[in-house]
Structure formats: structure tokens, C-alpha cells
Amino acid sequence: MFDFSRENIDIIKADLKEKLPKKRYEHTLGVAYTAAALAMCYGEDILKAELAGILHDVAKAKKSFELKDDMKGYIDPYTDGAYVDLIANKAPQILHAIYAPYLAKKDYKIEDKDILSAIRWHTTGKKDMTMLEKIVFVADYIEPNRKKLPDLDRIRTLSFHDISEAVKVIAKSTIEYLGSQGMYIDKFTYELSDEV
């Protein structure tokens, strides 16, 4: 069981600094920082939010083709094997989010279901997101190192005033972007955009 202390979080950061590419690590720190700030704003556990932000891209140390190999036969506890196979074939860029909770448990002894779920849904979102899930989803999109996206400044401001509205805007923006690129759009992102 993970001990939620600053020292243990710093140990994970140091380990990920060695494992992740430099830009990915900088993004990770940005998400952790932003998630902690959003947690303060919305009265959530700051250390949990920071830790979920630190671990959200833990599986990005591997390339998509490596994840495909590692995940053969993997059952996502949040969906099913058929869903994982579909994503592996149509949207391998989502695989890291599916596999990240497993690696967080295996490599860092994270058992907290809230953190694992926030890590799992940081890319696609889903219906009925908890506040922590929303925080990590939004932090991944608005963190300070994020390349300039359309309407990003407005979304950043909105995130600290109405996080549910920010989730809605991000989901719709993601669907529009993926659609314009002819890329696969995950069913959970569709459901999220319909819900909020």
C-alpha cells in the first residue's frame, strides 16, 4: 500500500525522470502541478491529485507497438478485452491510459481506486466522472507546457471556475479535432460529450 507522503511522491518523480523522455516528463510535472492547483480550487485531496497527475502517463515510457505486445490478453478492469483489442487496432495512442493503472499498481504499489480510475480516464473521459477524474482529465489538457490549442486560454480560465463546463468543452474540442483528422473517436468521449 502506498504511503501518501511528499518523500514517496518525490521518489516516484525521480524514477519517472529516468524512464520518460524529457518532454514527456516535463508534461507530467505540468499535469501534476495543475492537478494539485485544481484540487485546491475544488476541495479535493491535493496529494492524490498530484500523484494521479504524476502517474497519468506512466505507460508512455513505452511506444504504442510495445504496449500492444505487453497488453496481449490484458483485461482492462474498467471495460473488457474486446475493447482493448479495438483500441489497439484503431487508436493505439489511447493504450497508455488503459495500461497506466496496471503499471501504477505493479511498479509503485498504488492501490487507491480513485487515483487508478483518474489515471485510466485521463485521455478519453467517460460518463459520470468523479471530481478527481475531471481534475486529471482537465489538467492533462491545460497544463502550462501544453502546446497552444484553440481556445486554450479560455479553457484554462474556465477550468478554475466551472470544471464540468471545461470537461464538456474539452470533450467537444477533442471530438472535433479527431474528426477533422479522420481519426478514431472513442465511445467514452462521445458519451462524455453527450452527458455534460
Side-chain angles (χ1 to χ4, degrees):
M1 184 77 113
F2 183 79
D3 173 24
F4 287 92
S5 68
R6 172 64 41 211
E7 181 183 358
N8 285 338
I9 289 175
D10 288 345
I11 289 168
I12 292 175
K13 280 184 187 175
D15 189 56
L16 287 175
K17 186 174 186 179
E18 299 299 315
K19 290 180 178 175
L20 294 173
K22 184 177 188 291
K23 282 201 171 285
R24 180 62 50 190
Y25 181 69
E26 289 169 359
H27 165 71
T28 293
L29 293 181
V31 174
Y33 170 82
T34 305
L38 286 166
M40 283 187 264
C41 180
Y42 290 103
E44 287 293 306
D45 186 302
I46 298 166
L47 286 179
K48 273 188 173 187
E50 182 182 359
L51 186 57
I54 290 165
L55 290 170
H56 83 286
D57 273 352
V58 67
K60 283 272 189 170
K62 296 185 177 223
K63 305 278 188 221
S64 291
F65 71 88
E66 293 174 309
L67 283 175
K68 277 185 180 184
D69 285 344
D70 287 355
M71 293 177 71
K72 281 193 173 118
Y74 176 74
I75 303 297
D76 176 20
Y78 302 94
T79 57
D80 58 39
Y83 172 77
V84 174
D85 290 342
L86 171 76
I87 295 303
N89 291 320
K90 296 205 175 237
Q93 69 276 12
I94 297 174
L95 286 176
H96 77 282
I98 298 170
Y99 205 49
Y102 169 77
L103 291 178
K105 284 173 93 168
K106 181 174 86 68
D107 295 346
Y108 303 107
K109 310 299 181 243
I110 306 299
E111 297 290 338
D112 186 286
K113 291 182 184 333
D114 297 333
I115 292 173
L116 295 174
S117 186
I119 293 168
R120 168 58 183 88
W121 297 108
H122 81 269
T123 300
T124 61
K126 67 174 184 70
K127 285 192 323 186
D128 302 321
M129 291 174 82
T130 66
M131 181 56 75
L132 185 59
E133 289 166 346
K134 289 178 185 180
I135 283 171
V136 177
F137 178 80
V138 169
D140 186 39
Y141 195 87
I142 70 167
E143 63 94 3
N145 301 302
R146 177 62 80 184
K147 71 178 181 184
K148 190 71 172 148
L149 299 165
D151 228 11
L152 184 57
D153 291 336
R154 184 180 76 82
I155 296 169
R156 283 178 169 149
T157 301
L158 179 63
S159 298
F160 287 91
H161 294 284
D162 185 346
I163 197 165
S164 293
E165 184 64 22
V167 167
K168 175 182 176 180
V169 170
I170 292 167
K172 289 184 186 271
S173 175
T174 299
I175 289 168
E176 286 172 16
Y177 172 76
L178 293 173
S180 74
Q181 301 297 307
M183 297 172 72
Y184 175 82
I185 302 168
D186 189 75
K187 68 179 183 178
F188 293 108
T189 307
Y190 273 127
E191 290 173 2
L192 173 61
S193 73
D194 288 343
E195 174 201 64
V196 289

